[in-house]
Amino acid sequence: MEQPIFLQFLLGVLACFSILCANAEDAYRYYTWSVTYGTRAPLGDYQRVILINNQFPGPPIEAVTNENIIVNVINQLDEPFLITWHGVKQRKTSWQDGVLGTNCPIPPNSNWTYKFQLKDQVGTYMYYPSTSMHRAIGGFGALNINQRSVISIPYPAFAGDFTLLVGDWYKAGDKALVEKLNSGLSLPLPDGLLINGLHRSSSFTGEKGKTYKFRITNVGISTSINFRIQGHKLILVEVEGSHSLQEAYESLDIHPGQSVAVLVTLSGAIKDYYIVASTRFTQPILTTTGILRYQGSNTPASLPLPIAPTYHVHWSMKQARTIRLNLTANAARPNPQGSFHYGSIKIVRTLVLANAKENINGKLRYTVNGISYVDPTTPLKLADWFNIPGVFTLNNIKDFPTSRPPAMGVSVFGLSLHDFIEIIFQNTEPTIQSWHLDGTSFYVVGYGSGKWTTDSKRRYNLADGIARHTVQVYPNSWTAVLVSLDNKGMWNLRSQIWSDRFLGKQTYLRAWSNDKSLNTETDVPPNVLRCGQALH
Ligand SMILES: *[C@@H]1O[C@H](CO)[C@@H](O)[C@H](O)[C@H]1NC(C)=O
Ligand SMILES: *[C@@H]1O[C@H](CO)[C@@H](O)[C@H](O)[C@H]1NC(C)=O
């Protein structure tokens, strides 16, 4: 990634030029969101949920590449609150990431306005609360970024677009879940699965003979799902902002925090068909259904439901390896996705991150390389900017699993802007994991069972591994990703199993450069919230 100085300078000037131009011409979308408690009965019993402008799930954001999003979030809950924009890269501006390592939470009865650009992004994303266990009761929604009209899409035109937020759901409220976790207990299996906040009543109508795009996101906090539509094939076209090889699937595994877009052609007889989501790797299996209705149908969907894959992980791992990047397709920009030859870039650092379930001071905690993360009262990003000492120590977490006793801590990896690194997620637990990185995407180069060794590299996919922001790690297995840290900032690397994250299964990557120019990072926003030692 080394470039001659003059070239870096030239690229800097060009980038700056294009950003200025983009900002001048790209549209702004303004939102004012009231976040309140409300009552809904997603699984039949009334319970407290989080509403945004009275909606559950929250209102979808439908935008176009490069648009600027301005969201004034008014917190009317009784607890501090933040929303994170899952998969939005927040180019040069981790200020807007909305996690406790980058932002002070919005106090109750006050508001804060997020401002960010959907720079060079296209695809299927979501947002959700990052504070406490709030997202267990709502506050999440879809964030869809469509192509600019001047950019072609690498798949056939479709007649319509449906968004499905699929996820597990607990009847116990967020506060009961927090209490349970704080007392040292793990969470039980969820009580059910929902599609767009409904248990068995979501329906989607299309015309026979036409093709529709289904954007599907696992918004759940604990379980992987398998998704399928009775009598219809799913043609995968997009995975978290990357255009995939357009393979046909009977069903797809989607892990917590992951999104896909598939094309479905309504080629059957005019009737209703079941849309099915069921949990993976759980005992018992939870299932929910929705309906795909052909216009003019008066025949209800009929059993049996299409069968789910078996419990075993082998099927899932095999499918995961087939999800690959279409090298000739463009993404948000016209240049082909394959023009960045990630397989030939020199790796400057390897992090082997082993997650574990531990007992610290008599309580259940989760660790990454021996450290169970605790949010400091001063966000890491503010400590960095205002030079506040004592909040964190760079590289206090080891690059490899250690045998030191597990401990609580504020772990931050110190990395340089533009470092090209390898991360191995080594799962030492008998349960499936789902890891997400903010600020950038990574190339998924390998999945394997057992313990990763340098020999495992021989089986890496160095040609067309999919670039995504969230990846699963099978029980007692490993997943390898390659990342270009091309976005300066403080980035959360976290478990999407929300109870595990709450109990410490997360860390931060600091992508740093001493260059103070706006070409590498924007200034602290004028409306920044202050807290902890950054109050004054
Ligand atoms: C809070 O909302 C008001 C408008 O209702 C707005 O003028 C103000 O900038 C917002 N505050 C922050 C910190 O974003
Ligand atoms: C890859 O993308 C191109 C568009 O650039 C498209 O024509 C082609 O069908 C795609 N190939 C596969 C296998 O998905």
Side-chain angles (χ1 to χ4, degrees):
M1 297 294 282
E2 286 288 307
Q3 291 157 342
I5 291 293
F6 75 89
L7 186 56
Q8 278 188 15
F9 174 76
L10 186 65
L11 290 175
V13 170
L14 286 176
C16 176
F17 185 67
S18 66
I19 284 169
L20 288 177
C21 287
N23 275 333
E25 69 190 21
D26 294 319
Y28 280 74
R29 287 182 189 270
Y30 295 90
Y31 303 85
T32 302
W33 281 1
S34 267
V35 181
T36 61
Y37 293 117
T39 307
R40 293 286 189 279
L43 287 176
D45 300 324
Y46 281 97
Q47 64 180 99
R48 191 171 78 161
V49 298
I50 289 176
L51 305 176
I52 296 179
N53 293 351
N54 233 11
Q55 285 173 252
F56 169 82
I61 292 183
E62 287 284 348
V64 174
T65 303
N66 290 349
E67 284 184 341
N68 298 286
I69 306 293
I70 316 285
V71 194
N72 189 354
V73 174
I74 305 165
N75 177 14
Q76 294 175 272
L77 308 180
D78 58 1
E79 293 180 352
F81 181 78
L82 280 174
I83 287 176
T84 190
W85 315 91
H86 187 84
V88 172
K89 291 186 181 172
Q90 306 293 7
R91 243 184 123 58
K92 306 174 187 180
T93 178
S94 59
W95 304 115
Q96 307 292 332
D97 202 28
V99 291
L100 287 174
T102 58
N103 293 72
C104 297
I106 307 167
N109 301 312
S110 75
N111 67 296
W112 191 65
T113 308
Y114 290 84
K115 297 181 183 167
F116 53 89
Q117 195 187 7
L118 303 173
K119 184 71 189 155
D120 289 337
Q121 289 196 255
V122 65
T124 307
Y125 305 93
M126 68 168 147
Y127 63 83
Y128 52 76
S130 69
T131 36
S132 189
M133 290 291 286
H134 293 140
R135 65 179 292 207
I137 60 165
F140 53 79
L143 200 173
N144 296 331
I145 312 177
N146 297 293
Q147 266 96 343
R148 291 184 291 150
S149 56
V150 294
I151 305 286
S152 63
I153 49 170
Y155 45 87
F158 45 90
D161 196 336
F162 302 119
T163 298
L164 284 72
L165 306 176
V166 187
D168 47 38
W169 188 260
Y170 288 88
K171 287 186 184 173
D174 59 323
K175 292 190 182 182
L177 298 180
V178 165
E179 219 169 279
K180 193 161 203 135
L181 293 169
N182 280 339
S183 74
L185 299 171
S186 47
L187 298 188
L189 197 65
D191 299 300
L193 286 180
L194 305 180
I195 300 177
N196 294 346
L198 302 169
H199 185 44
R200 284 179 190 265
S201 42
S202 287
S203 79
F204 308 88
T205 304
E207 262 179 74
K208 181 177 162 69
K210 295 205 165 152
T211 297
Y212 294 83
K213 180 156 89 174
F214 284 70
R215 298 178 182 270
I216 309 146
T217 294
N218 185 339
V219 295
I221 59 168
S222 124
T223 52
S224 300
I225 58 161
N226 178 266
F227 180 89
R228 49 206 186 271
I229 302 180
Q230 195 174 42
H232 293 77
K233 284 205 160 50
L234 315 171
I235 310 293
L236 187 67
V237 292
E238 181 240 300
V239 176
E240 295 155 31
S242 292
H243 289 133
S244 64
L245 289 183
Q246 291 155 29
E247 306 252 8
Y249 296 90
E250 298 289 336
S251 76
L252 275 169
D253 279 355
I254 309 170
H255 305 276
Q258 296 185 339
S259 296
V260 298
V262 297
L263 295 182
V264 178
T265 299
L266 274 53
S267 51
I270 294 181
K271 63 186 252 349
D272 291 358
Y273 297 84
Y274 280 116
I275 292 173
V276 189
S278 56
T279 57
R280 290 288 273 139
F281 320 117
T282 63
Q283 207 51 267
I285 291 170
L286 308 174
T287 302
T288 191
T289 53
I291 295 294
L292 169 59
R293 175 158 299 145
Y294 280 39
Q295 228 168 64
S297 155
N298 39 35
T299 312
S302 52
L303 294 169
L305 297 182
I307 52 162
T310 56
Y311 175 88
H312 302 287
V313 300
H314 181 72
W315 184 97
S316 189
M317 202 187 280
K318 224 169 116 183
Q319 178 178 79
R321 292 194 184 109
T322 68
I323 297 177
R324 291 177 296 153
L325 201 60
N326 180 337
L327 297 175
T328 63
N330 60 267
R333 282 164 170 271
N335 49 311
Q337 294 179 142
S339 57
F340 185 75
H341 298 281
Y342 71 86
S344 56
I345 302 170
K346 189 174 168 338
I347 293 165
V348 301
R349 192 159 157 190
T350 295
L351 308 179
V352 179
L353 305 182
N355 55 279
K357 183 179 184 177
E358 302 281 5
N359 183 315
I360 303 179
N361 305 327
K363 281 192 180 157
L364 170 68
R365 294 291 303 187
Y366 291 95
T367 58
V368 182
N369 287 359
I371 300 188
S372 185
Y373 187 86
V374 202
D375 284 302
T377 52
T378 311
L380 308 169
K381 184 67 203 157
L382 298 192
D384 234 359
W385 188 264
F386 296 115
N387 290 312
I388 302 165
V391 177
F392 66 92
T393 309
L394 284 181
N395 298 315
N396 61 335
I397 176 167
K398 300 280 174 261
D399 288 12
F400 292 90
T402 72
S403 53
R404 68 180 175 191
M408 315 279 271
V410 180
S411 52
V412 182
F413 286 100
L415 296 140
S416 297
L417 181 62
H418 300 309
D419 273 359
F420 190 75
I421 67 167
E422 175 183 34
I423 301 178
I424 317 299
F425 297 105
Q426 180 68 61
N427 186 3
T428 72
E429 297 176 65
T431 50
I432 188 154
Q433 310 292 319
S434 186
W435 282 99
H436 168 84
L437 177 61
D438 280 351
T440 190
S441 291
F442 42 62
Y443 290 88
V444 182
V445 294
Y447 301 89
S449 30
K451 204 166 167 209
W452 178 87
T453 66
T454 49
D455 207 42
S456 313
K457 284 168 174 278
R458 286 190 302 151
R459 282 181 295 141
Y460 279 4
N461 175 354
L462 292 177
D464 60 359
I466 196 84
R468 65 188 315 169
H469 56 61
T470 304
V471 75
Q472 71 275 21
V473 192
Y474 294 97
N476 296 311
S477 299
W478 56 267
T479 298
V481 304
L482 301 181
V483 198
S484 177
L485 294 172
D486 57 1
N487 195 6
K488 187 172 174 178
M490 186 64 83
W491 304 112
N492 192 206
L493 178 62
R494 59 173 173 263
S495 173
Q496 285 299 127
I497 316 292
W498 224 237
S499 55
D500 294 19
R501 180 194 189 234
F502 184 84
L503 294 178
K505 198 181 281 176
Q506 58 173 320
T507 184
Y508 280 82
L509 304 189
R510 178 190 190 244
W512 187 252
S513 79
N514 285 326
D515 175 8
K516 287 237 168 75
S517 84
L518 298 179
N519 287 338
T520 51
E521 189 176 36
T522 63
D523 243 324
V524 60
N527 69 343
V528 70
L529 291 178
R530 288 162 168 267
C531 56
Q533 295 177 69
L535 259 180
H536 303 294

